[in-house]
Amino acid sequence: MKRIAIVGGGLAGVAAAYFLARAKAEVEVVLYEASGRLGGIVETVREGGFVVECGPDGWVTEKPWALELARELGLGEDVIWSLDEGRKTYVRLDGRLEAMPDGMRMMVPGDMEAVERSELFSEGAKQAFREEIGRAEELKAMAPEGDESVGAFVERHFGREVLEKVAGPLLSGVFGGDVGKLSVRAVMPAFVAMEREFGSLILALKAKTRGEKRPIFTSLKGGVGMLVERMVAEIPAGWVRLGEEVKQVEKVPCGWVLGSSSGTEHFDAVLMAAPVDVARRLLEPVDRRAAQLMEMEASSAVVVGFCFADGFDLPPGFGFLVPQGQGSLLLACTFTDQKFAGRVPAGARQVRAFFGAKAGERLLACGNDEIASVARLELGRMLGRLPEPVLTVVRRWPRSLPQYAVGHLERMAELNGRVKALEGIWLLGNGYRGVGLPDLIRDAQAAVGEIVR
Ligand SMILES: Cc1cc2nc3c(=O)[nH]c(=O)nc-3n(C[C@H](O)[C@H](O)[C@H](O)COP(=O)(O)OP(=O)(O)OC[C@H]3O[C@@H](n4cnc5c(N)ncnc54)[C@H](O)[C@@H]3O)c2cc1C
């Protein structure tokens, strides 16, 4: 019988185990998880009627794989959508919260009248938006053949202000990235395709979203953790080894040998779903060039969920972003109960503070109480003094947001070639082909498809 090792029980590893179980193939599987729980960055705390997301709080609706999986797991009735009728995102600007114009798709306006009314942008930025449509042919001709940074791409279309106020803070929350280094082709492929076809992103968005009414985000009533819990319920319990860290990976003539705290074992195939830093270290002795290609910067995130028994006023909408240089340690804040229904008991409130970049790095070393105090103080400066929370949840996610730097796709193509040549090993997780939950699920399913075929 084929023996398969899965290294890492985050969403990627759990999904791989689930798809292997579902395939009902003649396989013996060991899922190694270094910590004492499965799910990795995906974790939902449920307490006193509150649903607190410690990592992801949903996924983008336009990528179908997570929703398909949720339905297959019998969670169709639990699927919820973001409350888009109230969707508004604010940007902190000189100490106040300015709403982004309605209808923006990241930095691209879907409604030019809303841009004209907006207090967020200067006259210069509004002019850049107006002119982008007329520059369609020029922009098409200027598009580079190869990769470039997100910064260069956005600035070419809309100028520096839009980059700093909107694209920068939006992307650093997802990719932990410095827009001057992030690869536009890896991070915003849809916008690159739109530029190639239409030149102007505003014209492209208009053409592509005509009549579209899809909610932006999807989640589950009991939180994203439900996905992991349901998959785990389908995985034979004997497959899972909690608290067992893989320390060594060796390629042998007829497969792979893995060394962990409980000894060494032989496998026919390995699904490497540990974070990219760990995977790189483990693969270094097997293929140095592959390990080099896996070197990437990553930023750390610190998340603080505050739950309040009694309601208080918040601006309508999903939350706010803080651009660099605005004198706050916060990167973003979510008004949790205004983004998704069912996250709080009746009349209660939940907000979530998100620290990344340098502040995230610094806070990692602080205790929970200290982190919570900083978060409360920073939120209070923006939202007014907050009441005493009935529940506070703090999570640190060190180096959890890998940065896809310019040239990422080319590096991944080379890495893919090398990994294929090694035979019997697959790289899964958020360091390679997308960081979102749907991407990870798609990749796990594809890898399992290749193994059982
Ligand atoms: C704060 C935050 C918010 C996010 N929000 C969203 C969102 O809203 N929507 C979205 O789609 N995505 C979001 N993401 C991204 C998404 O959550 C991650 O990309 C995804 O959860 C990563 O899953 P993974 O399985 O690749 O890695 P991880 O979750 O990091 O799991 C890796 C696992 O490997 C284990 N491990 C490590 N070393 C070893 C070893 N040597 N042996 C065995 N096991 C090992 C770890 O303990 C861990 O459990 C967010 C990320 C963060 C940090």
Side-chain angles (χ1 to χ4, degrees):
M1 194 187 301
K2 226 182 194 178
R3 296 198 81 226
I4 299 165
I6 303 172
V7 184
L11 185 96
V14 169
Y18 165 73
F19 288 120
L20 279 167
R22 194 192 65 172
K24 301 206 183 325
E26 288 284 299
V27 289
E28 198 182 315
V29 177
V30 177
L31 167 55
Y32 292 97
E33 168 50 48
S35 77
R37 57 170 279 278
L38 295 172
I41 299 168
V42 176
E43 185 188 353
T44 305
V45 170
R46 302 179 195 103
E47 209 177 302
F50 291 97
V51 177
V52 185
E53 298 287 19
C54 305
D57 64 354
W59 60 83
V60 288
T61 304
E62 68 183 359
K63 296 190 176 183
W65 307 287
L67 179 60
E68 285 168 9
L69 173 63
R71 289 189 170 139
E72 180 183 307
L73 290 165
L75 293 170
E77 297 282 303
D78 294 281
V79 170
I80 54 172
W81 315 98
S82 48
L83 300 166
D84 282 14
E85 57 288 0
R87 184 164 77 96
K88 237 181 210 327
T89 302
Y90 300 85
V91 176
R92 180 184 155 107
L93 194 65
D94 303 330
R96 18 175 248 285
L97 294 181
E98 280 302 343
M100 273 170 52
D102 289 344
M104 297 277 288
R105 181 70 62 91
M106 291 193 84
M107 67 289 165
V108 185
D111 176 355
M112 278 306 288
E113 283 172 24
V115 169
E116 296 295 348
R117 287 193 302 272
S118 163
E119 303 265 321
L120 174 62
F121 297 115
S122 70
E123 185 46 39
K126 289 181 185 175
Q127 187 62 17
F129 280 127
R130 285 179 214 123
E131 287 175 2
E132 202 253 2
I133 300 172
R135 292 170 57 223
E137 285 310 312
E138 173 201 333
L139 286 163
K140 212 189 242 185
M142 279 167 83
E145 283 292 309
D147 200 3
E148 64 180 326
S149 71
V150 165
F153 178 86
V154 175
E155 221 176 319
R156 183 165 68 248
H157 285 265
F158 304 119
R160 183 114 208 125
E161 183 180 325
V162 175
L163 174 68
E164 285 173 356
K165 283 185 180 163
V166 180
L170 273 173
L171 284 166
S172 42
V174 181
F175 287 92
D178 167 349
V179 282
K181 293 183 186 165
L182 279 178
S183 154
V184 74
R185 293 197 171 211
V187 167
M188 305 200 305
F191 289 112
V192 175
M194 281 153 83
E195 179 186 65
R196 207 173 300 131
E197 193 180 348
F198 291 87
S200 158
L201 300 178
I202 298 180
L203 283 181
L205 185 67
K206 215 176 243 156
K208 300 226 172 258
T209 55
R210 204 161 280 147
E212 191 185 89
K213 281 252 176 323
R214 207 165 33 178
I216 299 260
F217 302 108
T218 308
S219 192
L220 296 165
K221 281 181 190 158
V224 177
M226 285 183 98
L227 263 188
V228 172
E229 290 147 17
R230 279 297 171 99
M231 285 194 285
V232 170
E234 302 291 322
I235 300 169
W239 287 9
V240 180
R241 297 210 196 145
L242 291 180
E244 201 164 323
E245 180 186 347
V246 172
K247 298 190 166 156
Q248 204 187 326
V249 171
E250 196 188 337
K251 170 102 182 104
V252 291
C254 51
W256 295 83
V257 171
L258 265 57
S260 74
S261 27
S262 70
T264 56
E265 283 187 55
H266 178 272
F267 294 95
D268 300 290
V270 176
L271 289 154
M272 177 58 70
V276 63
D277 282 349
V278 177
R280 177 174 48 76
R281 272 198 307 277
L282 291 171
L283 285 181
E284 173 103 56
V286 179
D287 184 333
R288 280 195 54 196
R289 176 65 189 152
Q292 254 175 16
L293 292 163
M294 292 158 79
E295 263 166 33
M296 55 189 84
E297 285 182 30
S299 82
S300 301
V302 173
V303 173
V304 190
F306 288 112
C307 301
F308 305 95
D310 296 314
F312 54 89
D313 284 342
L314 284 171
F318 288 2
F320 63 84
L321 304 165
V322 186
Q324 268 181 2
Q326 287 293 321
S328 170
L329 296 173
L330 278 175
L331 189 64
C333 165
T334 308
F335 305 153
T336 309
D337 54 282
Q338 294 181 169
K339 184 172 178 184
F340 291 110
R343 293 300 191 234
V344 295
R349 274 244 177 261
Q350 188 187 147
V351 294
R352 196 170 81 140
F354 184 105
F355 299 93
K358 288 201 183 84
E361 226 56 66
R362 258 185 284 148
L363 285 173
L364 283 180
C366 301
N368 282 2
D369 290 349
E370 201 178 343
I371 292 175
S373 303
V374 172
R376 243 181 115 198
L377 207 77
E378 289 287 351
L379 290 174
R381 287 172 61 205
M382 236 85 67
L383 304 172
R385 204 180 137 74
L386 298 176
E388 201 55 44
V390 288
L391 173 67
T392 302
V393 179
V394 178
R395 287 294 180 278
R396 298 163 190 75
W397 302 116
R399 288 186 59 82
S400 53
L401 301 163
Q403 183 168 300
Y404 292 4
V406 173
H408 182 83
L409 295 184
E410 288 77 9
R411 279 194 298 282
M412 290 306 106
E414 188 186 342
L415 177 62
N416 201 25
R418 296 200 73 91
V419 168
K420 269 214 157 80
L422 287 172
E423 288 183 2
I425 187 161
W426 283 260
L427 298 180
L428 300 178
N430 66 11
Y432 315 102
R433 292 163 296 268
V435 302
L437 305 180
D439 303 302
L440 305 186
I441 291 163
R442 173 204 60 205
D443 284 2
Q445 188 165 15
V448 167
E450 287 176 29
I451 289 181
V452 298
R453 211 173 287 139

